[in-house]
Amino acid sequence: MEIVLYEPEIPGNTGNIARLCAANVKRAGLDYWHLVDVQVHENIQELYEKYPDRRYFYATTKAKHTHSEVKYEIGDMLVFGPETRGLPESLLDGKEDTCIRIPMVDEARSLNLSNAVAIIAYEGMRQLDYPDLKAEGNWIQSK
């Protein structure tokens, strides 16, 4: 699975998310940036053109489907919006079936971006039986 950050605003969250991604590479440590394939695209359309055959899921508090309803596949793209405003409505229009949310109380505005990425990414990895992760040091043995 791929993590897509649409216009991220807070460097600390971006760093936490990169570390989350690196932690799923064998022997990832504190010096993890070399383990993460960071790509910067001029706009979302450029991303779609580069990866036209991927499935995209959009994290938004306005979604009707929860993140755990999705049956994730290797190669899925998980798209997260900026911390202060989320993904723009113009990007979500017509994509209601692929918008996902993390359940929370109505009074809560949202979760921290790096926490939301971790919750959704780990649900996907759990469904896929933690691909490429072994009991060697930091993960439970799968089945």
Side-chain angles (χ1 to χ4, degrees):
M1 294 186 307
E2 310 284 343
I3 304 299
V4 178
L5 302 180
Y6 179 91
E7 299 180 1
E9 299 169 320
I10 301 174
N13 283 334
T14 305
N16 286 341
I17 293 163
R19 188 170 184 175
L20 169 77
C21 294
N24 294 298
V25 176
K26 190 175 181 179
R27 293 188 181 92
L30 290 178
D31 297 323
Y32 52 83
W33 280 103
H34 68 284
L35 299 171
V36 180
D37 178 18
V38 176
Q39 298 178 23
V40 177
H41 299 277
E42 190 65 30
N43 52 52
I44 196 81
Q45 191 58 40
E46 187 177 294
L47 178 71
Y48 293 151
E49 290 169 6
K50 184 168 183 175
Y51 301 102
D53 299 326
R54 301 285 186 96
R55 298 186 326 158
Y56 291 83
F57 293 97
Y58 304 88
T60 173
T61 57
K62 301 166 189 76
K64 62 182 176 180
H65 300 291
T66 65
H67 72 291
S68 55
E69 290 176 53
V70 173
K71 300 299 180 218
Y72 296 99
E73 299 174 3
I74 301 276
D76 284 347
M77 305 290 252
L78 307 176
V79 183
F80 298 85
E83 290 90 335
T84 60
R85 59 190 188 280
L87 292 169
E89 293 294 326
S90 60
L91 178 63
L92 301 176
D93 285 345
K95 299 177 178 82
E96 291 79 16
D97 288 341
T98 56
C99 288
I100 55 175
R101 65 180 170 78
I102 299 168
M104 64 182 117
V105 298
D106 290 339
E107 294 79 19
R109 184 172 60 93
S110 65
L111 295 174
N112 171 276
L113 177 61
S114 61
N115 291 338
V117 171
I119 290 167
I120 295 174
Y122 269 82
E123 172 60 18
M125 290 188 309
R126 182 195 66 78
Q127 288 183 20
L128 296 169
D129 200 20
Y130 302 100
D132 301 323
L133 298 180
K134 309 279 187 238
E136 302 167 354
N138 41 355
W139 291 103
I140 58 170
Q141 181 67 42
S142 59
K143 293 185 184 176

